[in-house]
Amino acid sequence: TSALAHYDEALRSASETLRLEPGHPGASLTQAQIYLLRGDFEAGWPAYAHRHGVRQLHEIHSQLPVWQGEPLAGKRIHVIPEQGFGDTIQFVRLTKLLSERGAEVVVSVPQRLLALVSQLDWISLCLVDTELPPLCDYQVLLLDLPYRFNIDASSIPFPGGYLQVPSLDAAFQKTLDMHRRDFNIGLVWRGNPGHAADHLRSMRLKDWEPLIRQDGVRLFSLQQNDPEHELMHCSWAADVVDLGSLIPSPEQTAAAMAALDLVITIDSFPAHLAGAHGLHAWVVLCCSPDWRWMLERDDSPWYDSLRLFRQREFGNWDAVVREVCQSIEILRG
């Protein structure tokens, strides 16, 4: 029911399940996601800890004690990643709070994110998540940090960004310069097809035809995967410059974003990449969004540079595209 935005009904169902079976992890997780959607961080984060019961997380590598708020001065703590690339980028900023408590912070990340996260100077050691870390005093899962630090919408660190934009590779700069028009937009319309909610959040390239029909607009695809080969089969795709298949790394994706006038993306890793770099991006959301985007608002306390556009009717992207196009006309004056 929560997938159709019937949140009250979903909460009642979860509460009844917990009455009959206290501690049921799936019901607790449902509660957590709805609390967080509604901006109730105080109730949401403790309930969100129950995700351990329903999701397969990174295997904890040792018998180290799990950090639960103990003093950290002079201690070394290993932060273990979980979930997707976007989650890692969104929450890695919270490791700063561990450092501020006097900890030596060791963070493991997927190989593809190593260069990005290694920028953060409060992290003592950044490792690929297949590497064995040095001996530590504690370990903690990355998405437990909001709970441990009682994060709410007013205490999120670095909403203006915390990663540095690198220089764009000369070859990509040349491609951009060759194809620029008056207003240049980077576009991401699909996410990882393996994501459980991808059928809700992902769009089709052809949904964006009204945008490319605007005078002086050039679309640059930042799409990293195109399983339907839409750039080949869409009737007007020849007017879209394909950067995504050429860019080798998230760092260069961020550099390309910074060289454009605007980025438009679905709820996927590029949204977090833009926000973490403080880059201007518009994020289009389905009518039942992921909890981190909350409800109703057109901004995000996690990222100052993002603007949110929301579906009002299940499956109807046409109205969202129209709103985006109108907003671009206003932006361009």
Side-chain angles (χ1 to χ4, degrees):
T1 54
S2 61
L4 295 175
H6 296 162
Y7 300 117
D8 290 334
E9 182 181 346
L11 270 179
R12 286 193 295 270
S13 177
S15 297
E16 178 64 13
T17 298
L18 288 167
R19 186 185 69 80
L20 297 172
E21 188 179 339
H24 186 281
S28 295
L29 182 60
T30 295
Q31 279 189 333
Q33 291 171 329
I34 296 174
Y35 290 145
L36 292 169
L37 260 173
R38 291 175 166 175
D40 186 352
F41 290 79
E42 185 177 0
W45 294 129
Y48 193 63
H50 289 279
R51 72 191 183 284
H52 302 292
V54 294
R55 294 184 177 174
Q56 183 177 0
L57 301 176
H58 188 291
E59 183 179 354
I60 295 180
H61 62 82
S62 74
Q63 299 304 310
L64 283 180
V66 174
W67 183 65
Q68 299 183 47
E70 296 89 346
L72 287 173
K75 303 294 185 181
R76 180 187 288 161
I77 186 168
H78 181 211
V79 182
I80 299 172
E82 52 175 302
Q83 303 183 38
F85 285 3
D87 301 272
T88 299
I89 292 299
Q90 180 179 359
F91 291 99
V92 73
R93 73 183 88 180
L94 299 184
T95 59
K96 171 70 169 176
L97 305 180
L98 297 170
S99 176
E100 289 176 349
R101 291 198 179 188
E104 181 183 348
V105 181
V106 177
V107 179
S108 294
V109 295
Q111 174 72 56
R112 190 161 173 80
L113 300 183
L114 184 64
L116 282 176
V117 177
S118 294
Q119 297 179 29
L120 301 176
D121 57 11
W122 61 80
I123 293 177
S124 300
L125 180 63
C126 192
L127 301 169
V128 177
D129 57 9
T130 55
E131 296 181 89
L132 189 67
L135 183 63
C136 295
D137 298 288
Y138 294 105
Q139 60 187 337
V140 65
L141 288 166
L142 181 60
L143 268 72
D144 277 342
L145 294 182
Y147 173 39
R148 296 301 172 198
F149 287 112
N150 299 312
I151 295 297
D152 61 23
S154 65
S155 63
I156 295 169
F158 306 114
Y162 40 94
L163 297 177
Q164 296 297 313
V165 179
S167 299
L168 185 62
D169 181 88
F172 301 129
Q173 185 68 61
K174 183 177 180 181
T175 300
L176 283 170
D177 291 342
M178 285 174 55
H179 296 282
R180 283 186 184 279
R181 290 184 182 167
D182 294 338
F183 198 77
N184 304 283
I185 301 173
L187 181 66
V188 179
W189 65 91
R190 282 190 179 273
N192 178 356
H195 189 284
D198 192 60
H199 64 293
L200 297 175
R201 65 175 182 169
S202 283
M203 301 175 65
R204 300 165 299 176
L205 179 58
K206 67 180 183 179
D207 293 330
W208 289 104
E209 183 172 2
L211 182 57
I212 203 168
R213 299 305 178 200
Q214 289 193 333
D215 289 342
V217 166
R218 170 69 81 187
L219 289 188
F220 291 84
S221 168
L222 299 176
Q223 193 67 42
Q224 292 288 301
N225 56 73
D226 185 13
E228 304 297 326
H229 304 290
E230 291 175 271
L231 279 170
M232 293 175 57
H233 299 141
C234 183
S235 61
W236 49 267
D239 294 325
V240 180
V241 180
D242 182 11
L243 286 181
S245 64
L246 305 175
I247 295 177
S249 66
E251 304 89 79
Q252 282 298 295
T253 300
M257 288 176 170
L260 297 167
D261 297 303
L262 177 66
V263 172
I264 299 174
T265 176
I266 63 154
D267 170 18
S268 188
F269 173 59
H272 298 279
L273 191 64
H277 286 87
L279 298 173
H280 189 42
W282 292 356
V283 183
V284 293
L285 301 172
C286 67
C287 63
S288 180
D290 189 83
W291 57 263
R292 75 201 67 224
W293 305 115
M294 295 187 281
L295 297 172
E296 300 302 326
R297 57 192 299 166
D298 63 3
D299 65 342
S300 168
W302 294 98
Y303 303 112
D304 286 347
S305 63
L306 301 189
R307 178 178 174 184
L308 310 181
F309 292 78
R310 298 177 181 271
Q311 249 185 14
R312 303 301 177 186
E313 179 184 352
F314 185 78
N316 180 5
W317 288 113
D318 291 345
V320 180
V321 172
R322 282 196 301 271
E323 184 182 359
V324 168
C325 289
Q326 291 165 2
S327 297
I328 288 174
E329 290 177 356
I330 294 170
L331 180 65
R332 297 175 67 191

